[in-house]
């Protein structure tokens, strides 16, 4: 927190991600730009609109065969695309972290939970095993797991989805990153558990003063959780809004997303259908 | 070799969430029916297929009353199911009759020669796994590269080459021309008198007794057939490793591991391979079982005094008791490894425990 | 793929590329050919698979034209002047064996035996597997349990050893070798056929046929079996190499084809005595086996990838 806290945390200018495929190139992300401070930015859009690929490009987790270009992609003023792979890797988990969608798949099934958390720590800090375990237990407590000792030695399949996602959060936040990318962190969870997990995430992000990119297809969720919202469509940002100004959205696609949200009390017939126009993708 | 079938079989048997008692019961039923089937098939081959087993023993010029006496001795005049019952009882007690060729009980012969085969297959599997697993990992990580293509071709040739032919050519090159390895056989005649094996596993015995000269000689004998069998298991193991690793590397936990900042080396060799190891153990066990079978032809080429050579020698002399006894022995070990690999699978995969 | 060009299926020139790739085929034939064309294109992208196909086609041609292609008599050698000549000798391209027979001619005629074995084993084993598998999958219940237990038992057997014992009991000879290999080859086919059957046993299309009053026998024969064919063909192709190797192994041990038949495995066995000085007598037939099994393996791999792109590269 001491150095370089001026200026934006993350600068993204004209980010493009292209996949070569058998039938030609697929542009998953087509010129996304934004800056992020110690704030909460939401990214919404329908499935396949390039949200995850944007997040992964920032993390440096784009599949090897894809091509990434950007005028600027900088974390704390450091150019991410130009830096050596080694340096980039050191950033991951330590300064920028990411929560994936489904803990059922994103935790290593044959490794006890505790060891997976400790592993993050040992990768980035010189620390004794007993000290690492102590910190991991504390982190499990911080994500409101009641019996950390027990959970520490469980395997991922032995815990519920909500519990798994807490473990995921613990694993990613244990080194105290400054930027967290949460890619649909609650989409795979039961509705009742979603709120609990969001609550935990909310607390930790506030307490630790992290920047957050919250990716979701759920506009209402994003707008209630974040300060600002980017609306993506077909790899582009079609609109950027403060959450408070949601009702003033200009772009027809955003309005379409908004119209699809059910509101209590109003009778809606016929049900609105999300409209897509090819020219928005241009 | 068509080992992948068997792995489908093993995998099919694995069902999640079944209770331990149920699993044990299923295991016992599977084992029992498989062994019973094994004996039924060998019984069929030995008693039903030949026109008259009695004639096969006494020869077709024997007088009728001799043939009749032999038939009675063999129990051939009994109904088939009674014959099978007797056969079962004898087999369970390890009685497979006497070898015409060696005049020993077949069981005693098998006990004598089997360690040589086990030793050879073990060396082969160790070579195959030590080289095959890293090759498969390399091929998966560098998918589509030249390295991947080379590994693929090495594997395909392994699947396509006749083992006895490769054995002959390698003997020609490494023994006759280059003289790098010892002549066919298991041990030099010189040592046959100074070295007294205890367990039948010569390499272990010699190391245990500290006879390093003997160890070196044994090594020079086993290395070529071992490497040959190793190549076969390598072909299979590398191919399966590649496929398992490709599957693991596309999983989300690999992305998560990268997001944690782990090095690629650690992700590949620790996370992904540890997951791939679960099915790989089955593959390695099956390739081991496959090598027991592959030893039949290899031992013939290398005059390796194991079960394979025993079976082929007996074949040449129409010694059916010995052939069938050997078949059952290999079958029993084959099936046992199959079953054990299933159990091993359970212990390796935390999701199937308990 | 090319969606624009296909809006008017009828106007396309028959058998042209666009006609084949049309996503609105106007006849069943066009649809069928179109699907085959797409599979073929996927197959043809794979260079190794094409090499495999080339090898197998060459094998077929050589076997068909063996009498024309072979420069010498495969069984009757020139014992006086042509014993154990090295490769490259004029008119004996690959050398001769101990009985003065031209190895090349023997290899050419041996290709017929190889094909004979492979085809017969496939013709015997594949239908057995198909019947066991489809009946097992369609019937379910205890029929399934019993049939699959039997299949598993055979699957658990060491193949070569079982074949050895069988031939030992039946007596050596190429027909018995074929029978023995077939007996050990059917279980995987049963497995595959059963798995396929299970995937559409409860499909609406089968229910519809059932409603029309078709007997189970007819359903299995006319509707279930055809659907299992493509996976079965891939599997049989992939097994060809194994069949060739097993047959060669039996031949090598003197249990398969008997002299003077030019069976490749038996040729290696007879060349074994001269391996130190006249290496080519044993080396040439083994090389032929290697090339042909490699061909089948490449072809099978390519077919599998083309028919089931999911598994490609695995
Ligand atoms: N490995 C890949 N190869 C080709 N295209 C891909 C690949 N991964 C993603 N894409 C494409 O990128 C687009 C955006 O994907 P993604 O970012 O995952 O969308 P989402 O907004 O649902 O997270 C998708 O339309 C998809 O077709
Ligand atoms: Mg996504």
């Amino acid at each position: 927190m001491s150095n370089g806290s001026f200026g934006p945390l993350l600068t993204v200018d004209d980010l493009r991600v292209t996949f070569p495929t058998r039938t030609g190139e697929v542009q998953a992300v087509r010129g996304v730009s934004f800056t992020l401070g110690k704030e909460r930015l939401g990214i919404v859009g329908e499935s396949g609109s390039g949200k995850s690929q944007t997040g992964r490009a920032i993390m440096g987790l784009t599949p090897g065969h894809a091509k990434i270009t950007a005028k600027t992609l900088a974390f704390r003023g450091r150019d991410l695309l130009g830096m050596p792979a080694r340096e980039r890797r050191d950033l991951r988990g330590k300064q920028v972290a990411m929560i994936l969608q489904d803990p059922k798949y994103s935790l290593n099934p044959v490794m006890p939970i505790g060891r997976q958390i400790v592993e993050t720590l040992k990768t980035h800090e010189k620390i004794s095993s007993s000290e690492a375990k102590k910190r991991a237990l504390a982190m499990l407590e911080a994500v409101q797991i009641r019996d950390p000792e027990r959970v520490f030695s469980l395997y991922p399949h032995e815990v519920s989805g909500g519990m798994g996602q807490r473990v995921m959060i613990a694993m990613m936040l244990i080194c105290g990153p400054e930027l967290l990318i949460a890619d649909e962190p609650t989409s795979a969870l039961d509705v009742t558990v979603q709120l609990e997990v969001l609550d935990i995430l909310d607390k930790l992000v506030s307490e630790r003063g992290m920047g957050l990119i919250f990716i979701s297809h759920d506009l209402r969720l994003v707008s209630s959780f974040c300060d600002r919202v980017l609306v993506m469509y077909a790899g582009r940002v079609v609109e950027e809004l403060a959450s408070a100004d949601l009702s003033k959205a200009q772009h027809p696609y955003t309005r379409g997303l908004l119209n699809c949200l059910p509101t209590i009390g109003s009778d809606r017939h016929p049900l609105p259908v999300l409209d897509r126009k090819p020219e928005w993708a241009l | 070799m068509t080992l992948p079938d068997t792995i489908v079989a093993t995998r099919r048997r694995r069902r999640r969430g079944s209770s331990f008692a149920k699993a044990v019961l299923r295991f016992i039923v599977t084992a029992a029916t498989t062994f019973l089937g094994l004996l039924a098939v060998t019984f069929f081959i030995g008693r039903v297929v030949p026109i008259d087993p009695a004639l096969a023993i006494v020869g077709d010029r024997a007088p009728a009353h001799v043939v009749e006496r032999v038939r009675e001795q063999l129990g051939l005049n009994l109904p088939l199911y009674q014959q099978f019952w007797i056969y079962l009882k004898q087999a369970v007690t390890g009685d497979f009759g006497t070898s015409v060729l060696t005049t020993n009980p077949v069981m005693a012969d098998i006990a004598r020669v089997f360690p040589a085969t086990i030793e050879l297959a073990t060396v082969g599997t160790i070579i195959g796994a030590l080289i095959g697993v890293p090759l498969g990992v390399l091929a998966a990580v560098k998918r589509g590269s030249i390295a991947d293509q080379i590994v693929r071709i090495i594997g395909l040739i392994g699947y396509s080459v006749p083992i006895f032919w490769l054995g002959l050519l390698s003997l020609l090159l490494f023994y006759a021309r280059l003289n790098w390895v010892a002549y066919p056989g298991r041990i030099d005649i010189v040592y046959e008198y100074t070295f007294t094996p205890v367990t039948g596993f010569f390499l272990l015995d010699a190391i245990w007794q500290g006879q390093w000269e003997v160890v070196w000689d044994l090594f020079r004998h086993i290395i070529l057939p071992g490497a040959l069998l190793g190549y076969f298991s390598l072909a299979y193991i590398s191919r399966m490793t590649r496929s398992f690793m490709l599957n693991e590397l596309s999983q989300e936990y690999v992305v998560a591991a990268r997001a944690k900042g782990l090095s690629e080396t650690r992700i590949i060799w620790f996370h992904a391979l540890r997951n791939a190891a679960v099915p790989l153990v089955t593959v390695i066990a099956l390739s081991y079982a496959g090598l027991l079978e592959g030893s039949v032809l290899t031992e013939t080429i290398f005059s390796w005094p194991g079960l394979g050579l025993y079976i082929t020698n007996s074949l040449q002399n129409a010694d059916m008791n010995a052939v069938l006894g050997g078949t059952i022995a290999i079958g029993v070990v084959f099936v046992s490894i199959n079953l054990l690999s299933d159990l091993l699978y359970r212990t390796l995969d935390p999701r199937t425990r308990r | 793929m090319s969606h624009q060009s296909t809006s008017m299926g009828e106007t396309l020139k028959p058998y042209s590329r666009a006609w084949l790739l049309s996503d609105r085929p106007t006849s069943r034939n066009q649809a069928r050919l179109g699907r085959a064309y797409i599979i073929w294109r996927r197959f043809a992208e794979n260079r190794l698979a094409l090499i495999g196909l080339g090898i197998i086609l060459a094998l077929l041609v050589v076997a068909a034209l063996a009498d024309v292609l072979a420069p010498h008599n495969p069984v009757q050698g020139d014992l006086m002047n042509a014993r154990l000549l090295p490769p490259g000798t004029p008119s004996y391209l690959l050398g001769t064996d101990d009985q003065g027979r031209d190895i090349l001619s023997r290899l050419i005629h041996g290709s017929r035996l190889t094909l004979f074995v492979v085809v017969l084993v496939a013709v015997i084993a594949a239908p057995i597997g198909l019947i066991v598998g489809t009946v097992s999958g369609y019937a379910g219940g205890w029929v399934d349990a019993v049939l699959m237990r039997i299949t598993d038992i055979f699957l658990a057997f060491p193949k070569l050893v079982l074949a050895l014992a069988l031939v030992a009991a039946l007596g050596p000879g190429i027909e018995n070798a074929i029978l023995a290999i077939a007996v050990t080859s059917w279980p995987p086919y049963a497995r595959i056929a059963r798995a396929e059957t299970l995937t559409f046993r409860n499909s609406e299309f089968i229910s519809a046929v059932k409603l029309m009053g078709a007997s189970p026998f007819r359903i299995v024969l006319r509707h279930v079996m055809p659907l299992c064919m493509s996976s079965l063909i891939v599997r049989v192709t992939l097994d060809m190499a194994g069949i060739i190797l097993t047959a060669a192994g039996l031949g090598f041990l003197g249990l398969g084809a008997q002299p003077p038949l030019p069976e490749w495995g038996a040729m290696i066995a007879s060349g074994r005595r001269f391996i130190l000085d006249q290496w080519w007598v044993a080396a040439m037939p083994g090389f032929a086996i290697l090339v042909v099994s490699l061909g089948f393996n490449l072809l099978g791999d390519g077919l599998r990838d083309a028919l089931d792109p999911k598994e490609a590269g695995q």
Side-chain angles (χ1 to χ4, degrees):
Chain A
M1 306 264 144
S2 52
N3 58 343
S5 46
F6 308 105
L9 206 52
L10 181 72
T11 316
V12 180
D13 186 10
D14 196 23
L15 174 69
R16 288 166 189 277
V17 180
T18 313
F19 289 97
T21 67
R22 228 183 255 238
T23 48
E25 295 201 326
V26 172
Q27 295 204 327
V29 180
R30 310 189 299 158
V32 166
S33 306
F34 61 90
T35 55
L36 181 81
K38 288 226 154 119
E39 58 179 327
R40 299 178 182 192
L41 174 73
I43 301 184
V44 275
E46 62 189 6
S47 173
S49 55
K51 309 180 298 287
S52 296
Q53 287 306 331
T54 306
R56 287 185 185 202
I58 296 166
M59 289 294 296
L61 297 177
T62 312
H65 59 285
K67 206 174 72 202
I68 303 188
T69 57
K71 290 209 185 87
T72 322
L73 184 64
F75 176 76
R76 288 211 167 287
R78 295 163 67 191
D79 175 25
L80 287 174
L81 292 183
M83 75 171 48
R86 175 74 219 233
E87 238 173 272
R88 186 96 191 258
R89 198 212 303 155
D90 286 341
L91 277 184
R92 283 201 289 269
K94 188 168 172 59
Q95 286 173 293
V96 292
M98 178 152 114
I99 296 170
L100 301 171
Q101 182 168 342
D102 193 342
K104 220 171 37 242
Y105 304 110
S106 47
L107 293 170
N108 184 339
V110 298
M111 199 170 171
I113 282 167
R115 277 181 53 202
Q116 302 195 40
I117 301 175
V118 164
E119 193 182 32
T120 315
L121 208 47
K122 288 206 146 182
T123 308
H124 297 290
E125 295 177 27
K126 271 209 131 33
I127 189 171
S128 74
S129 292
S130 58
E131 180 64 18
K133 178 165 183 184
K134 230 192 287 170
R135 291 226 349 234
L137 289 173
M139 193 67 221
L140 282 174
E141 220 157 333
V143 293
Q144 298 175 19
I145 285 174
R146 253 169 271 125
D147 191 356
E149 282 281 0
R150 192 179 64 90
V151 173
F152 189 88
S153 56
L154 292 181
Y155 284 94
H157 72 281
E158 295 172 313
V159 301
S160 66
M163 184 85 95
Q165 202 58 313
R166 295 177 207 209
V167 170
M168 181 85 201
I169 295 173
M171 182 170 90
M172 288 303 177
L173 294 191
I174 191 160
C175 286
E178 294 165 75
L179 169 63
L180 178 67
I181 301 173
D183 189 353
E184 313 240 17
T186 57
S187 304
L189 306 181
D190 291 343
V191 187
T192 46
V193 188
Q194 284 187 357
L195 291 178
E196 286 171 32
V197 171
L198 282 175
D199 206 42
I200 292 165
L201 200 57
D202 186 38
K203 277 217 186 73
L204 287 170
V205 169
S206 313
E207 277 168 15
R208 302 183 175 209
M210 288 182 274
L212 173 72
I213 298 179
F214 189 94
I215 296 174
S216 172
H217 57 269
D218 184 342
L219 182 55
R220 164 172 311 173
L221 178 65
V222 167
S223 60
S224 67
F225 202 76
C226 301
D227 313 316
R228 208 154 45 98
V229 181
L230 295 182
V231 182
M232 283 189 72
Y233 180 75
R236 284 178 185 282
V237 177
V238 292
E239 185 151 31
E240 182 173 352
L241 291 162
S243 296
D245 304 336
L246 210 55
S247 51
K248 293 179 208 150
Q250 300 292 317
H251 197 277
Y253 180 68
T254 318
R255 299 213 63 89
L257 285 177
L258 271 173
N259 282 336
C260 288
L261 297 177
T263 35
I264 298 164
S266 62
D267 187 17
R268 291 155 59 90
H269 271 292
L271 272 176
V273 178
L274 193 55
D275 202 13
R276 295 179 182 82
K277 296 231 165 66
E279 61 264 27
W280 301 343
L282 295 178
Chain B
M1 281 196 249
T2 47
L3 292 164
D5 305 327
T6 352
I7 193 172
V8 178
T10 7
R11 290 264 203 107
R12 201 180 68 96
R13 267 183 255 126
R14 179 180 62 94
R15 252 171 243 151
R16 264 205 221 160
S18 57
S19 73
F20 184 71
K22 246 184 174 171
V24 168
L25 190 69
R26 189 178 305 129
F27 180 85
I28 290 171
V29 170
T30 309
T33 51
T34 311
F35 287 128
L36 195 67
L38 189 78
L39 290 173
V41 172
T42 48
F43 171 77
F44 186 80
I45 293 175
R47 296 291 176 87
V48 184
V49 174
I51 315 297
D52 192 338
L55 278 185
I57 290 178
V58 294
D60 39 10
R61 271 188 302 257
H65 69 275
V66 176
V67 177
E68 200 44 46
R69 229 193 26 248
V70 172
R71 285 181 65 83
E72 244 163 71
Q73 274 175 7
L74 291 174
L76 290 175
N77 43 3
L78 296 173
L80 218 52
Y81 69 93
Q82 279 187 21
Q83 287 188 41
F84 183 54
W85 180 240
I86 295 168
Y87 180 80
L88 269 188
K89 279 197 295 198
Q90 288 176 341
V92 167
T93 55
D95 177 6
F96 298 118
T98 327
S99 157
V100 180
L101 190 61
T102 65
T103 68
N104 296 329
V106 169
M107 196 60 200
D109 280 343
I110 291 174
R112 181 170 46 80
V113 297
F114 214 177
T117 298
I118 297 281
E119 190 174 66
L120 185 58
T122 307
V123 168
T125 306
I126 291 174
I127 293 175
L130 282 184
I131 303 176
V133 170
L135 278 186
V137 171
L138 177 79
V141 170
K142 306 225 176 282
R143 181 182 190 176
S145 69
I146 298 283
D148 183 15
Q149 294 288 339
I150 290 174
V151 172
R152 181 171 178 179
I153 288 171
I154 290 175
L156 274 172
I157 291 178
Y159 273 93
S160 313
V161 70
I163 189 167
F164 48 96
W165 177 73
L166 200 57
L168 278 177
L169 292 193
S170 60
L171 263 181
L172 172 65
L173 180 63
F174 295 109
Y175 164 61
R177 295 281 149 85
L178 297 171
N179 202 21
W180 286 357
V181 302
Y183 57 83
R186 194 180 182 195
I187 186 170
D188 205 294
I189 297 181
V190 183
Y191 299 110
E192 272 188 14
Y193 301 97
T194 59
F195 170 63
T196 37
V198 187
T199 60
F201 301 103
F202 285 12
L203 268 174
L204 290 185
D205 285 339
I207 292 171
W208 177 252
Q209 295 169 11
Q211 302 207 40
W212 300 113
E213 246 177 82
V214 181
V215 172
W216 174 239
D217 178 66
L218 289 171
F219 176 78
R220 282 182 16 114
H221 278 91
I222 205 171
I223 187 65
L224 200 52
L228 204 66
L229 287 178
Y231 178 43
F232 280 82
S233 85
L234 175 158
Y236 176 51
I237 291 174
S238 65
R239 193 180 165 107
M240 298 308 278
T241 305
R242 176 181 184 275
S243 149
F244 294 149
M245 280 300 283
L246 279 180
N247 179 36
E248 294 304 331
L249 288 172
S250 67
Q251 301 293 317
E252 282 287 285
Y253 72 80
V254 169
V255 177
R258 291 202 179 104
K260 282 159 78 172
L262 303 190
S263 70
E264 219 43 33
T265 320
R266 186 172 171 86
I267 291 171
I268 291 163
W269 295 97
F270 194 79
H271 285 259
L273 187 59
R274 173 67 184 75
N275 275 279
V278 175
L280 252 187
V281 163
T282 318
V283 162
I284 291 173
L286 291 176
S287 96
Y288 188 85
L291 289 194
L292 289 179
E293 184 182 27
S295 68
V296 173
L297 287 166
T298 315
E299 288 180 1
T300 316
I301 297 293
F302 289 93
S303 308
W304 191 263
L307 193 53
L309 191 63
Y310 180 71
I311 291 178
T312 47
N313 274 343
S314 310
L315 272 175
Q316 314 291 351
N317 295 282
D319 187 351
M320 266 325 259
N321 278 348
V323 171
L324 291 177
T327 307
I328 293 174
I330 289 189
V332 166
V333 176
F334 198 91
V335 170
S336 309
I337 291 175
N338 238 311
L339 294 167
L340 281 179
S341 72
D342 202 18
L343 286 188
L344 212 56
Y345 193 105
R346 287 170 189 284
T347 61
L348 270 179
D349 187 345
R351 284 162 295 189
T352 58
R353 265 181 230 159
R354 219 169 11 100
Chain C
M1 287 165 218
S2 60
H3 294 284
Q4 326 80 299
S5 60
T6 55
S7 47
M8 298 255 127
E10 322 81 76
T11 61
L12 295 168
K13 196 167 129 230
Y15 306 109
S16 67
R17 223 179 81 95
W19 180 82
L20 286 168
L21 288 176
S22 160
D23 50 11
R24 281 184 204 176
T26 51
S27 69
R28 178 188 286 216
N29 217 9
Q30 185 186 358
R32 216 176 260 161
L33 281 173
R35 205 168 51 231
Y37 179 66
I38 288 173
I39 290 171
W40 163 251
R41 278 218 316 197
R42 271 205 299 257
F43 180 85
E45 263 172 36
N46 181 346
R47 199 170 335 139
L48 287 177
L50 283 181
I51 294 176
L53 181 64
I55 291 173
I56 302 312
L57 288 179
L59 176 75
L60 290 173
V61 170
V62 167
L65 304 179
D67 295 325
V68 186
L69 289 176
H72 295 272
N73 185 317
V75 280
Q76 208 64 56
D78 181 356
L79 267 169
M80 297 298 287
N81 314 310
R83 287 190 70 230
L84 296 169
L85 295 176
T89 312
S91 106
Y92 296 109
L93 200 59
L94 298 182
T96 59
D97 66 6
D98 56 317
Q99 302 192 31
R101 297 175 296 201
D102 176 38
I103 293 178
L104 177 64
S105 303
R106 283 177 71 70
L107 289 185
I108 289 174
H109 280 273
S111 67
R112 288 184 167 176
L113 291 174
T114 300
L115 270 180
F116 179 65
V117 170
V118 159
V119 168
L120 266 182
V121 169
V123 164
I124 300 172
I128 298 179
L130 189 62
I131 292 170
V132 171
T134 48
V135 167
S136 176
Y138 189 78
W142 64 267
V143 175
D144 182 31
V146 169
L147 285 179
M148 278 302 113
R149 204 71 276 285
I150 293 174
T151 308
D152 276 357
I153 288 168
F154 273 89
L155 214 46
F157 252 108
K159 255 176 134 176
L160 176 68
V161 177
L162 181 60
L164 272 182
L166 249 178
V167 183
L170 290 166
I174 193 163
E175 297 86 1
N176 289 344
I178 289 171
L179 197 64
I181 299 172
V183 165
T184 59
S185 301
W186 64 269
Y189 308 146
R191 265 318 213 338
I192 288 168
R194 177 179 178 272
E196 289 281 304
T197 307
L198 285 182
T199 59
F200 44 70
R201 185 176 73 172
N202 298 320
S203 70
E204 293 180 4
F205 134 75
I206 294 289
S207 318
V209 181
K210 243 189 247 172
L211 275 180
M212 281 158 57
S215 68
F217 175 74
R218 195 185 155 81
I219 294 177
V220 168
L221 193 68
R222 298 296 299 276
H223 300 279
V224 174
M225 283 187 182
L227 288 172
C228 300
M229 287 315 281
S230 79
S231 1
L232 208 62
I233 288 171
V234 170
R235 184 53 213 239
V236 170
T237 316
L238 279 170
D239 272 3
M240 295 278 178
I243 294 170
I244 290 175
L245 292 181
T246 311
L250 292 175
F252 179 73
L253 292 173
L255 297 172
Q258 298 298 303
L261 282 183
E263 195 271 330
W264 296 344
M267 285 171 71
I268 300 177
S270 64
R272 187 179 170 185
R273 276 174 294 150
F274 318 105
I275 187 76
L276 292 186
D277 298 310
Q278 287 89 23
W279 54 269
W280 59 88
V281 183
M284 296 303 174
F287 194 70
I289 298 174
L290 170 61
V291 170
V292 172
S293 348
L294 197 58
F296 275 115
N297 272 330
L298 292 173
L299 179 67
D301 261 13
L303 270 183
R304 185 188 49 196
D305 292 356
L307 287 171
D308 188 4
K310 269 198 316 294
E311 286 213 351
Q314 292 226 352

